[in-house]
Amino acid sequence: MAAHVHEVLLAEPRGFCAGVDRAIEIVERAIRKFGAPIYVRHEIVHNTYVVNDLKAKGAIFIEDLADVPAGATLVFSAHGVPKAVRAEAARRGFQVFDATCPLVTKVHVEVAKLHKEGYDFIMIGHKGHPEVEGTMGQLSEGIHLVEDVADVERVRLRQQERLAVVTQTTLSVDDAAEILAAVKRRFPQVREPKKQDICYATQNRQDAVKVLAPQVDIVIVVGSPTSSNSNRLRELADRLGTPAYMVDDPADLQSAWFEGRPRVGLTAGASAPDILVQQVIERLKALGAAGVRRMPGVEETVHFPLPKGLGDRSMGEAPAA
Ligand code: 0K2
Ligand code: SF4
């Protein structure tokens, strides 16, 4: 391969967030403690490498609880589940470990609390995404999805005196702000979350791309096509005028992308493991990259405890079964 690349700039922060780290740890510990197979509803996080690795260790990924046998141990993915799924799992007596990110659960709790106070909701998010299905599925009615500004104009509400807005945690910060502004124009009395629902990890990774993209000729995002937050990173770089590609597998990298683009920016979605970033770096070195420079950025110290019954991370290994 011809050598095109001169330098690699690494976005900071990038890659695993605290919710993903916890979700993967829950599946690994459940396998160690209870033995394979462990059933997981939906991809634990939207990453091909992570899912294949856990399959090899004894996880079975399913979408429908009908595919889970009696007596099984079941893990809910980081994206959360509708209330009906939780109820079904309880009814069928599965041992459940909930890997829903605590920051997604926080949105569910807010929806339930305000619903009791008589609120209806507008949810900003992507139709069909499991997190949106989980959050909307906290209620049987009175929650309306908007994907863009045009949708805001189309919403028909049964009442608007008590109206609150919630969002998916992994949206484009800028798009969400624009949609929220449209919601507020149409429904000025709408109640906003105390702190926005877009999570710290989504915010920080997008902020890092805003710093990175103007300094490079091309941005590579490590992430899977199903990953909302990873797609938003690629799209953001592109919107800033820097050509950007997302790669699920480092082998997908094409040397032609780098022709006439010697400075490469590299980042990874919240569900993309560091091993893939390292493999991309190796490939970029083979294309001529002499060095890797880490960009300055915020340090993340967020850490979520594990659910009861799987051991305490500060105590090391989960107890043997
Ligand atoms: O970005 P997505 O919500 O599609 O999800 P992943 O790529 O799996 O990242 C982890 C976030 C899970 C929940 O917020
Ligand atoms: Fe939680 Fe945010 Fe990570 Fe999703 S991206 S798992 S909400 S920390």
Side-chain angles (χ1 to χ4, degrees), residues 17-20 78 101-104 131 169-170 197 199-202 229 270 304:
C17 61
V20 164
C101 177
L103 298 180
V104 173
E131 183 184 329
T169 57
T170 51
D197 296 327
C199 75
Y200 79 96
T202 299
N229 79 86
F304 298 125

Side-chain angles (χ1 to χ4, degrees), residues 20 45-46 78-79 104 129 131 169-170 226-229 271:
V20 164
V45 297
H46 291 144
H79 317 93
V104 173
H129 189 282
E131 183 184 329
T169 57
T170 51
T226 44
S227 168
S228 169
N229 79 86
S271 47

Side-chain angles (χ1 to χ4, degrees), residues 41 65 76 79-89 100 108 130-139:
R41 182 188 178 273
L65 263 47
F76 295 146
H79 317 93
V81 294
K83 256 191 155 168
V85 169
R86 197 177 290 279
E88 163 85 357
T100 305
H108 292 188
E131 183 184 329
V132 168
E133 287 175 352
T135 300
M136 294 190 61
Q138 298 307 299
L139 302 181

Side-chain angles (χ1 to χ4, degrees), residues 229-250:
N229 79 86
S230 305
N231 278 295
R232 301 293 80 78
L233 297 177
R234 195 211 61 76
E235 173 187 88
L236 175 57
D238 209 45
R239 286 178 181 182
L240 292 167
T242 309
Y245 298 87
M246 195 164 77
V247 289
D248 197 9
D249 182 333

Side-chain angles (χ1 to χ4, degrees), residues 55-114:
K55 273 185 192 165
K57 290 174 177 166
I60 295 178
F61 292 89
I62 50 96
E63 294 296 327
D64 188 342
L65 263 47
D67 297 327
V68 183
T73 296
L74 174 66
V75 178
F76 295 146
S77 82
H79 317 93
V81 294
K83 256 191 155 168
V85 169
R86 197 177 290 279
E88 163 85 357
R91 191 180 63 73
R92 295 197 44 211
F94 302 133
Q95 176 178 44
V96 171
F97 291 100
D98 187 1
T100 305
C101 177
L103 298 180
V104 173
T105 301
K106 195 187 93 186
V107 180
H108 292 188
V109 169
E110 179 81 352
V111 165
K113 179 176 146 267
L114 291 178

